[in-house]
């Protein structure tokens, strides 16, 4: 069995510690599981949150609660509402999250999203 294999496991997110990350405005709370080449997070943005940077990493983002606007440099913004998702590979979008009302997201990222030539 390789180190990259992930055995079956149930996740009780209420037991996963939260870390705080300040935005340009508001705050983000992350609950993170890290595996070899894979990161899985529940991320909550407070009301009035605006990311403090433009991100170029790839993600799979699924909205669980609330609403978030995904601003993109040089492209139209998009809005995620509960039940909606977006997917992007590394380096294919410069984006940042903004929410007036707060939002709870499931975010998955890792090596599998690296830009392929």
């Amino acid at each position: 069995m390789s180190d990259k294999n992930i055995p079956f496991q149930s996740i009780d997110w209420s037991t996963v510690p939260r870390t705080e990350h300040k935005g340009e405005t508001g705050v983000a709370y992350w609950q993170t599981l890290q595996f070899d080449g894979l990161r899985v997070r529940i991320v909550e943005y407070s009301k009035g949150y605006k990311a403090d940077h433009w991100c170029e990493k790839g993600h799979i983002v699924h909205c669980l609660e609330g609403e978030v606007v995904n601003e993109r440099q040089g492209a139209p913004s998009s809005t995620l509402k509960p039940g909606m998702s977006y997917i992007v590979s590394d380096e294919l979008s410069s984006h940042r999250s903004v929410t007036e009302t707060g939002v709870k997201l499931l975010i998955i990222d890792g090596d599998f999203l690296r830009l392929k030539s």
Side-chain angles (χ1 to χ4, degrees):
M1 186 155 88
S2 145
D3 290 337
K4 291 192 178 219
N5 291 325
I6 301 169
F8 180 90
Q9 55 192 280
S10 296
I11 301 160
D12 178 355
W13 286 100
S14 70
T15 66
V16 177
R18 286 171 44 128
T19 57
E20 184 176 304
H21 305 265
K22 294 193 184 300
E24 184 176 304
T25 59
V27 64
Y29 298 98
W30 297 9
Q31 293 173 276
T32 306
L33 296 176
Q34 185 69 57
F35 302 95
D36 188 13
L38 176 69
R39 180 174 65 171
V40 180
R41 297 178 286 162
I42 296 288
V43 175
E44 292 185 59
Y45 296 140
S46 68
K47 291 180 181 178
Y49 178 82
K50 181 177 185 178
D52 66 350
H53 67 284
W54 289 95
C55 179
E56 294 190 2
K57 293 294 291 174
H59 310 286
I60 299 172
V61 178
H62 182 74
C63 183
L64 300 168
E65 300 172 7
E67 188 172 298
V68 64
V69 174
N70 305 294
E71 295 181 340
R72 297 186 300 151
Q73 286 185 327
S77 296
S78 64
T79 301
L80 289 185
K81 296 178 182 182
M84 296 176 69
S85 303
Y86 80 77
I87 301 171
V88 65
S89 291
D90 289 353
E91 302 174 40
L92 289 181
S93 170
S94 191
H95 53 274
R96 69 177 171 190
S97 298
V98 178
T99 179
E100 290 182 16
T101 60
V103 69
K104 185 175 187 177
L105 305 167
L106 171 65
I107 304 177
I108 300 168
D109 41 41
D111 294 348
F112 67 100
L113 291 168
R114 285 189 182 146
L115 187 61
K116 300 184 179 35
S117 48

